[in-house]
Amino acid sequence: MQKQWNKNSWRTYPISQQPIYDNKDHVKKVESEIEKLPPLVFAEEVRNLKEKLADVAEGKAFLLQGGDCAESFSDFSANNLRDSFKVLLQMSAILTYATSLPVIKVGRMAGQFAKPRSEDFEVKDGLKLPSYRGDIVNDIGFDEVARKPDPERMLKAYNQSAFTLNLLRAFATGGLANLEKVHKWNLDFVKQTTKSKFLEIANGISKALDFMKACGLGTKNNSEFEQVDFFTSHEALLLNYEACLTRTDSIMGGWFDCSAHMLWIGERTRKLDEAHIEFMRGIENPIGVKIGPKTDSDYVIDLINKLNPKNIPGRITLITRMGSQNLRYNLPRLIKGIKDNKKKVIWSCDPMHANTYKSDNGYKTRSFDRIIEEIEAFFLIHKQLDTFPGGIHLEITGQNVTECVGGEQEIKEENLSDRYHTHCDPRLNANQGVELAFKISEFLKTN
Ligand code: PEP
Ligand code: CO
């Protein structure tokens, strides 16, 4: 018999990856302030996403989830956010055409501030300091003051999330989401590439748009052409912050974590008898779970029984992040376990987190080719096993950064220092993101 859940029941469980604050009273004071602040997202929006994700689970829609590895206070600006929103929309237009399915757009945005770390401490030139755990916890600068966890940062993260959501809502319903405009940006991209296949795909989209216009769709004030639904997500890592924003829905009941529409559990915090699973099982939001190379299928079934005992489609997204080699070996076994137990899940591919390495000149980077390889392996395996490859999960920014090597721009290790801005893991830049979407289209056409 499971113990009764409440939004603080996780506090009696073992917990990983949390900051150690000096002043517990200060933490409590901040928590009670956040508890009084308005929700960032609303239950009805979360239910709307859940319905769309149920379609993904049934093979009737595709999930595109992406954004920063770690949002930061210093890089926040309307222009940066607009550019990241833009690239997701551009990719979405290409993927809609490639899959002939609606693409559900979920940003790693408006709350992606807390980071799990493989080491609790960082040592540089003999100085040992607590690791950077994301701007919601401490500062990335390497000195004692910067690295000290400060609970006030939770309020700053809340405020920045509210500003971000305000902009995202405006972008999603304002002129920025106009499909013809989005397609024009893609045509501009294609003009710079040497890949004739991309041009073919872009021309196909142009023709489809012309056809729709000829049918009377796409004229001014047609909401399908002018607006998009855009949702937010982040890793539910810092549980006291998440609990403070967990509210009951006054209309239909149930508990919703109103910090984001979708939350996910990271690879390092998903032990069945620990706090993160306890917290997540009680909220109504759709839940992602990162699935690394060592995950076995019995564990996944136990996890689903805990998080989704009623087997509701769209509730669970399994986000595999294994690297293409491990994926070829492990994904078929996981898929078999899910099929044998008749579980309803979305399969999503994170091709980023198992493909990180240190370049010769000391940068944490990823290769565009390895990223593509993992995505292609993911699509092929699902095709062979007759299951639906439901989505992709990316670390990406609209800025022209040089953090991942490769792609048409031919970013090399010696270029990484040019514009390496990430606060945590290396992100695809806007061109690499659009190129990736075209590559997926090309792959789907020929496979
Ligand atoms: C992340 O998504 O930034 C992350 C830390 O992923 P994972 O939990 O899969 O390592
Ligand atoms: Co990351």
Side-chain angles (χ1 to χ4, degrees), residues 69 352 355-357 363-366 371 395-396 401-405 416 420 422 424-428:
C69 177
M352 316 297 295
N355 288 313
T356 318
Y357 70 95
Y363 287 92
K364 208 177 176 190
T365 188
R366 290 161 171 157
I371 290 169
E395 288 183 342
I396 183 165
V401 297
T402 52
E403 296 171 6
C404 292
V405 295
L416 291 173
Y420 193 96
T422 183
C424 197
D425 290 338
R427 302 159 295 178
L428 295 167

PDB file of all heavy atoms in Angstrom, residues 69 352 355-357 363-366 371 395-396 401-405 416 420 422 424-428:
ATOM      1  N   CYS A  69      20.479  24.278 -22.102  1.00  0.00           N
ATOM      2  CA  CYS A  69      20.786  23.287 -21.067  1.00  0.00           C
ATOM      3  C   CYS A  69      20.456  23.919 -19.730  1.00  0.00           C
ATOM      4  O   CYS A  69      19.776  23.330 -18.903  1.00  0.00           O
ATOM      5  CB  CYS A  69      22.259  22.888 -21.119  1.00  0.00           C
ATOM      6  SG  CYS A  69      22.685  21.744 -19.795  1.00  0.00           S
ATOM      7  N   MET A 352      21.726  14.428 -27.147  1.00  0.00           N
ATOM      8  CA  MET A 352      22.764  15.346 -26.676  1.00  0.00           C
ATOM      9  C   MET A 352      23.604  14.735 -25.542  1.00  0.00           C
ATOM     10  O   MET A 352      24.826  14.788 -25.567  1.00  0.00           O
ATOM     11  CB  MET A 352      22.143  16.653 -26.142  1.00  0.00           C
ATOM     12  CG  MET A 352      21.043  17.275 -26.969  1.00  0.00           C
ATOM     13  SD  MET A 352      21.498  17.831 -28.612  1.00  0.00           S
ATOM     14  CE  MET A 352      22.654  19.138 -28.325  1.00  0.00           C
ATOM     15  N   ASN A 355      26.507  12.283 -25.809  1.00  0.00           N
ATOM     16  CA  ASN A 355      27.475  12.619 -26.860  1.00  0.00           C
ATOM     17  C   ASN A 355      28.350  13.816 -26.484  1.00  0.00           C
ATOM     18  O   ASN A 355      28.818  14.543 -27.354  1.00  0.00           O
ATOM     19  CB  ASN A 355      26.731  12.890 -28.178  1.00  0.00           C
ATOM     20  CG  ASN A 355      26.168  11.615 -28.785  1.00  0.00           C
ATOM     21  OD1 ASN A 355      26.873  10.607 -28.877  1.00  0.00           O
ATOM     22  ND2 ASN A 355      24.904  11.625 -29.166  1.00  0.00           N
ATOM     23  N   THR A 356      28.556  14.005 -25.203  1.00  0.00           N
ATOM     24  CA  THR A 356      29.376  15.136 -24.752  1.00  0.00           C
ATOM     25  C   THR A 356      30.822  14.653 -24.577  1.00  0.00           C
ATOM     26  O   THR A 356      31.049  13.575 -24.054  1.00  0.00           O
ATOM     27  CB  THR A 356      28.858  15.654 -23.394  1.00  0.00           C
ATOM     28  OG1 THR A 356      27.434  15.668 -23.441  1.00  0.00           O
ATOM     29  CG2 THR A 356      29.380  17.027 -23.074  1.00  0.00           C
ATOM     30  N   TYR A 357      31.764  15.438 -25.023  1.00  0.00           N
ATOM     31  CA  TYR A 357      33.169  15.096 -24.772  1.00  0.00           C
ATOM     32  C   TYR A 357      33.983  16.384 -24.626  1.00  0.00           C
ATOM     33  O   TYR A 357      33.488  17.476 -24.925  1.00  0.00           O
ATOM     34  CB  TYR A 357      33.730  14.207 -25.898  1.00  0.00           C
ATOM     35  CG  TYR A 357      33.925  14.915 -27.217  1.00  0.00           C
ATOM     36  CD1 TYR A 357      35.173  15.457 -27.563  1.00  0.00           C
ATOM     37  CD2 TYR A 357      32.874  15.077 -28.116  1.00  0.00           C
ATOM     38  CE1 TYR A 357      35.356  16.130 -28.775  1.00  0.00           C
ATOM     39  CE2 TYR A 357      33.047  15.748 -29.324  1.00  0.00           C
ATOM     40  CZ  TYR A 357      34.284  16.272 -29.648  1.00  0.00           C
ATOM     41  OH  TYR A 357      34.459  16.942 -30.828  1.00  0.00           O
ATOM     42  N   TYR A 363      37.268  22.411 -24.283  1.00  0.00           N
ATOM     43  CA  TYR A 363      35.841  22.763 -24.238  1.00  0.00           C
ATOM     44  C   TYR A 363      34.968  21.516 -24.183  1.00  0.00           C
ATOM     45  O   TYR A 363      35.240  20.536 -24.884  1.00  0.00           O
ATOM     46  CB  TYR A 363      35.438  23.585 -25.472  1.00  0.00           C
ATOM     47  CG  TYR A 363      35.964  24.986 -25.418  1.00  0.00           C
ATOM     48  CD1 TYR A 363      37.196  25.310 -25.981  1.00  0.00           C
ATOM     49  CD2 TYR A 363      35.242  25.981 -24.772  1.00  0.00           C
ATOM     50  CE1 TYR A 363      37.693  26.603 -25.909  1.00  0.00           C
ATOM     51  CE2 TYR A 363      35.728  27.271 -24.699  1.00  0.00           C
ATOM     52  CZ  TYR A 363      36.947  27.574 -25.260  1.00  0.00           C
ATOM     53  OH  TYR A 363      37.433  28.852 -25.187  1.00  0.00           O
ATOM     54  N   LYS A 364      33.903  21.596 -23.371  1.00  0.00           N
ATOM     55  CA  LYS A 364      32.893  20.545 -23.373  1.00  0.00           C
ATOM     56  C   LYS A 364      32.113  20.741 -24.675  1.00  0.00           C
ATOM     57  O   LYS A 364      31.553  21.821 -24.911  1.00  0.00           O
ATOM     58  CB  LYS A 364      31.979  20.823 -22.181  1.00  0.00           C
ATOM     59  CG  LYS A 364      31.304  19.640 -21.563  1.00  0.00           C
ATOM     60  CD  LYS A 364      30.535  20.205 -20.359  1.00  0.00           C
ATOM     61  CE  LYS A 364      29.719  19.222 -19.645  1.00  0.00           C
ATOM     62  NZ  LYS A 364      28.837  19.843 -18.666  1.00  0.00           N
ATOM     63  N   THR A 365      32.102  19.747 -25.533  1.00  0.00           N
ATOM     64  CA  THR A 365      31.429  19.938 -26.825  1.00  0.00           C
ATOM     65  C   THR A 365      30.679  18.683 -27.246  1.00  0.00           C
ATOM     66  O   THR A 365      30.667  17.674 -26.535  1.00  0.00           O
ATOM     67  CB  THR A 365      32.446  20.388 -27.912  1.00  0.00           C
ATOM     68  OG1 THR A 365      31.738  20.734 -29.091  1.00  0.00           O
ATOM     69  CG2 THR A 365      33.471  19.319 -28.236  1.00  0.00           C
ATOM     70  N   ARG A 366      30.014  18.765 -28.406  1.00  0.00           N
ATOM     71  CA  ARG A 366      29.308  17.618 -28.985  1.00  0.00           C
ATOM     72  C   ARG A 366      29.470  17.705 -30.491  1.00  0.00           C
ATOM     73  O   ARG A 366      29.562  18.810 -31.037  1.00  0.00           O
ATOM     74  CB  ARG A 366      27.820  17.678 -28.654  1.00  0.00           C
ATOM     75  CG  ARG A 366      27.517  17.416 -27.196  1.00  0.00           C
ATOM     76  CD  ARG A 366      26.171  17.916 -26.786  1.00  0.00           C
ATOM     77  NE  ARG A 366      25.845  17.463 -25.437  1.00  0.00           N
ATOM     78  CZ  ARG A 366      24.970  18.072 -24.642  1.00  0.00           C
ATOM     79  NH1 ARG A 366      24.331  19.147 -25.041  1.00  0.00           N
ATOM     80  NH2 ARG A 366      24.738  17.593 -23.453  1.00  0.00           N
ATOM     81  N   ILE A 371      25.236  13.462 -33.066  1.00  0.00           N
ATOM     82  CA  ILE A 371      23.854  13.801 -32.682  1.00  0.00           C
ATOM     83  C   ILE A 371      22.887  13.248 -33.738  1.00  0.00           C
ATOM     84  O   ILE A 371      21.897  12.581 -33.425  1.00  0.00           O
ATOM     85  CB  ILE A 371      23.721  15.335 -32.496  1.00  0.00           C
ATOM     86  CG1 ILE A 371      24.491  15.760 -31.243  1.00  0.00           C
ATOM     87  CG2 ILE A 371      22.256  15.771 -32.415  1.00  0.00           C
ATOM     88  CD1 ILE A 371      24.680  17.257 -31.081  1.00  0.00           C
ATOM     89  N   GLU A 395      19.217  20.334 -26.798  1.00  0.00           N
ATOM     90  CA  GLU A 395      19.756  21.554 -26.192  1.00  0.00           C
ATOM     91  C   GLU A 395      20.157  22.469 -27.342  1.00  0.00           C
ATOM     92  O   GLU A 395      21.048  22.154 -28.144  1.00  0.00           O
ATOM     93  CB  GLU A 395      20.919  21.214 -25.261  1.00  0.00           C
ATOM     94  CG  GLU A 395      20.346  20.547 -24.021  1.00  0.00           C
ATOM     95  CD  GLU A 395      21.321  20.197 -22.928  1.00  0.00           C
ATOM     96  OE1 GLU A 395      22.538  20.148 -23.182  1.00  0.00           O
ATOM     97  OE2 GLU A 395      20.865  19.943 -21.808  1.00  0.00           O
ATOM     98  N   ILE A 396      19.473  23.594 -27.428  1.00  0.00           N
ATOM     99  CA  ILE A 396      19.576  24.431 -28.621  1.00  0.00           C
ATOM    100  C   ILE A 396      19.299  25.881 -28.260  1.00  0.00           C
ATOM    101  O   ILE A 396      18.541  26.167 -27.341  1.00  0.00           O
ATOM    102  CB  ILE A 396      18.579  23.920 -29.687  1.00  0.00           C
ATOM    103  CG1 ILE A 396      18.688  24.717 -30.977  1.00  0.00           C
ATOM    104  CG2 ILE A 396      17.140  23.905 -29.189  1.00  0.00           C
ATOM    105  CD1 ILE A 396      18.022  24.038 -32.142  1.00  0.00           C
ATOM    106  N   VAL A 401      25.970  30.607 -31.638  1.00  0.00           N
ATOM    107  CA  VAL A 401      27.081  30.209 -30.765  1.00  0.00           C
ATOM    108  C   VAL A 401      27.960  29.176 -31.461  1.00  0.00           C
ATOM    109  O   VAL A 401      27.566  28.581 -32.479  1.00  0.00           O
ATOM    110  CB  VAL A 401      26.564  29.618 -29.424  1.00  0.00           C
ATOM    111  CG1 VAL A 401      25.786  30.646 -28.631  1.00  0.00           C
ATOM    112  CG2 VAL A 401      25.712  28.364 -29.660  1.00  0.00           C
ATOM    113  N   THR A 402      29.138  28.976 -30.925  1.00  0.00           N
ATOM    114  CA  THR A 402      30.023  27.909 -31.409  1.00  0.00           C
ATOM    115  C   THR A 402      30.291  26.983 -30.230  1.00  0.00           C
ATOM    116  O   THR A 402      31.289  27.127 -29.531  1.00  0.00           O
ATOM    117  CB  THR A 402      31.350  28.495 -31.938  1.00  0.00           C
ATOM    118  OG1 THR A 402      31.880  29.358 -30.901  1.00  0.00           O
ATOM    119  CG2 THR A 402      31.163  29.296 -33.205  1.00  0.00           C
ATOM    120  N   GLU A 403      29.363  26.082 -29.997  1.00  0.00           N
ATOM    121  CA  GLU A 403      29.487  25.185 -28.839  1.00  0.00           C
ATOM    122  C   GLU A 403      29.551  23.716 -29.259  1.00  0.00           C
ATOM    123  O   GLU A 403      30.195  22.905 -28.603  1.00  0.00           O
ATOM    124  CB  GLU A 403      28.330  25.441 -27.868  1.00  0.00           C
ATOM    125  CG  GLU A 403      28.376  26.861 -27.284  1.00  0.00           C
ATOM    126  CD  GLU A 403      27.141  27.253 -26.469  1.00  0.00           C
ATOM    127  OE1 GLU A 403      26.263  26.410 -26.245  1.00  0.00           O
ATOM    128  OE2 GLU A 403      27.068  28.439 -26.065  1.00  0.00           O
ATOM    129  N   CYS A 404      28.842  23.366 -30.357  1.00  0.00           N
ATOM    130  CA  CYS A 404      28.906  22.003 -30.900  1.00  0.00           C
ATOM    131  C   CYS A 404      29.679  22.043 -32.207  1.00  0.00           C
ATOM    132  O   CYS A 404      29.491  22.958 -33.018  1.00  0.00           O
ATOM    133  CB  CYS A 404      27.505  21.454 -31.186  1.00  0.00           C
ATOM    134  SG  CYS A 404      26.539  21.157 -29.695  1.00  0.00           S
ATOM    135  N   VAL A 405      30.525  21.053 -32.424  1.00  0.00           N
ATOM    136  CA  VAL A 405      31.321  21.044 -33.653  1.00  0.00           C
ATOM    137  C   VAL A 405      30.536  20.419 -34.810  1.00  0.00           C
ATOM    138  O   VAL A 405      29.630  19.618 -34.594  1.00  0.00           O
ATOM    139  CB  VAL A 405      32.669  20.282 -33.480  1.00  0.00           C
ATOM    140  CG1 VAL A 405      33.565  20.993 -32.491  1.00  0.00           C
ATOM    141  CG2 VAL A 405      32.439  18.839 -33.065  1.00  0.00           C
ATOM    142  N   LEU A 416      35.693  26.788 -31.300  1.00  0.00           N
ATOM    143  CA  LEU A 416      34.777  26.753 -30.144  1.00  0.00           C
ATOM    144  C   LEU A 416      34.899  28.007 -29.269  1.00  0.00           C
ATOM    145  O   LEU A 416      33.913  28.516 -28.748  1.00  0.00           O
ATOM    146  CB  LEU A 416      35.013  25.497 -29.296  1.00  0.00           C
ATOM    147  CG  LEU A 416      34.600  24.172 -29.969  1.00  0.00           C
ATOM    148  CD1 LEU A 416      35.024  22.968 -29.133  1.00  0.00           C
ATOM    149  CD2 LEU A 416      33.098  24.122 -30.218  1.00  0.00           C
ATOM    150  N   TYR A 420      31.469  30.785 -27.307  1.00  0.00           N
ATOM    151  CA  TYR A 420      31.091  29.683 -26.411  1.00  0.00           C
ATOM    152  C   TYR A 420      30.463  30.305 -25.175  1.00  0.00           C
ATOM    153  O   TYR A 420      31.147  30.835 -24.312  1.00  0.00           O
ATOM    154  CB  TYR A 420      32.336  28.855 -26.048  1.00  0.00           C
ATOM    155  CG  TYR A 420      32.006  27.535 -25.388  1.00  0.00           C
ATOM    156  CD1 TYR A 420      31.941  26.356 -26.140  1.00  0.00           C
ATOM    157  CD2 TYR A 420      31.745  27.455 -24.023  1.00  0.00           C
ATOM    158  CE1 TYR A 420      31.634  25.135 -25.547  1.00  0.00           C
ATOM    159  CE2 TYR A 420      31.427  26.247 -23.427  1.00  0.00           C
ATOM    160  CZ  TYR A 420      31.379  25.090 -24.189  1.00  0.00           C
ATOM    161  OH  TYR A 420      31.059  23.886 -23.599  1.00  0.00           O
ATOM    162  N   THR A 422      27.534  28.930 -23.246  1.00  0.00           N
ATOM    163  CA  THR A 422      26.610  28.159 -22.411  1.00  0.00           C
ATOM    164  C   THR A 422      27.015  28.155 -20.934  1.00  0.00           C
ATOM    165  O   THR A 422      28.209  28.197 -20.611  1.00  0.00           O
ATOM    166  CB  THR A 422      26.468  26.703 -22.912  1.00  0.00           C
ATOM    167  OG1 THR A 422      25.508  26.037 -22.089  1.00  0.00           O
ATOM    168  CG2 THR A 422      27.786  25.949 -22.887  1.00  0.00           C
ATOM    169  N   CYS A 424      26.183  25.632 -19.132  1.00  0.00           N
ATOM    170  CA  CYS A 424      26.343  24.228 -18.728  1.00  0.00           C
ATOM    171  C   CYS A 424      26.771  23.403 -19.943  1.00  0.00           C
ATOM    172  O   CYS A 424      27.931  23.436 -20.322  1.00  0.00           O
ATOM    173  CB  CYS A 424      25.054  23.729 -18.093  1.00  0.00           C
ATOM    174  SG  CYS A 424      25.280  22.241 -17.138  1.00  0.00           S
ATOM    175  N   ASP A 425      25.846  22.697 -20.598  1.00  0.00           N
ATOM    176  CA  ASP A 425      26.244  21.848 -21.726  1.00  0.00           C
ATOM    177  C   ASP A 425      26.205  22.624 -23.056  1.00  0.00           C
ATOM    178  O   ASP A 425      25.458  23.585 -23.205  1.00  0.00           O
ATOM    179  CB  ASP A 425      25.274  20.657 -21.854  1.00  0.00           C
ATOM    180  CG  ASP A 425      25.422  19.670 -20.713  1.00  0.00           C
ATOM    181  OD1 ASP A 425      26.497  19.645 -20.079  1.00  0.00           O
ATOM    182  OD2 ASP A 425      24.456  18.938 -20.449  1.00  0.00           O
ATOM    183  N   PRO A 426      26.987  22.149 -24.037  1.00  0.00           N
ATOM    184  CA  PRO A 426      27.015  22.792 -25.360  1.00  0.00           C
ATOM    185  C   PRO A 426      25.703  22.627 -26.124  1.00  0.00           C
ATOM    186  O   PRO A 426      25.122  21.539 -26.158  1.00  0.00           O
ATOM    187  CB  PRO A 426      28.144  22.051 -26.090  1.00  0.00           C
ATOM    188  CG  PRO A 426      28.280  20.742 -25.384  1.00  0.00           C
ATOM    189  CD  PRO A 426      27.906  20.999 -23.962  1.00  0.00           C
ATOM    190  N   ARG A 427      25.250  23.725 -26.743  1.00  0.00           N
ATOM    191  CA  ARG A 427      23.974  23.719 -27.465  1.00  0.00           C
ATOM    192  C   ARG A 427      24.193  23.786 -28.979  1.00  0.00           C
ATOM    193  O   ARG A 427      25.171  24.364 -29.441  1.00  0.00           O
ATOM    194  CB  ARG A 427      23.153  24.960 -27.051  1.00  0.00           C
ATOM    195  CG  ARG A 427      22.869  25.045 -25.584  1.00  0.00           C
ATOM    196  CD  ARG A 427      22.530  26.464 -25.156  1.00  0.00           C
ATOM    197  NE  ARG A 427      23.652  27.385 -25.313  1.00  0.00           N
ATOM    198  CZ  ARG A 427      23.613  28.685 -25.052  1.00  0.00           C
ATOM    199  NH1 ARG A 427      22.492  29.224 -24.602  1.00  0.00           N
ATOM    200  NH2 ARG A 427      24.676  29.459 -25.219  1.00  0.00           N
ATOM    201  N   LEU A 428      23.228  23.260 -29.703  1.00  0.00           N
ATOM    202  CA  LEU A 428      23.207  23.482 -31.150  1.00  0.00           C
ATOM    203  C   LEU A 428      22.898  24.949 -31.363  1.00  0.00           C
ATOM    204  O   LEU A 428      22.126  25.541 -30.591  1.00  0.00           O
ATOM    205  CB  LEU A 428      22.117  22.635 -31.799  1.00  0.00           C
ATOM    206  CG  LEU A 428      22.298  21.119 -31.725  1.00  0.00           C
ATOM    207  CD1 LEU A 428      21.007  20.412 -32.120  1.00  0.00           C
ATOM    208  CD2 LEU A 428      23.452  20.662 -32.612  1.00  0.00           C
TER     209      LEU A 428
END
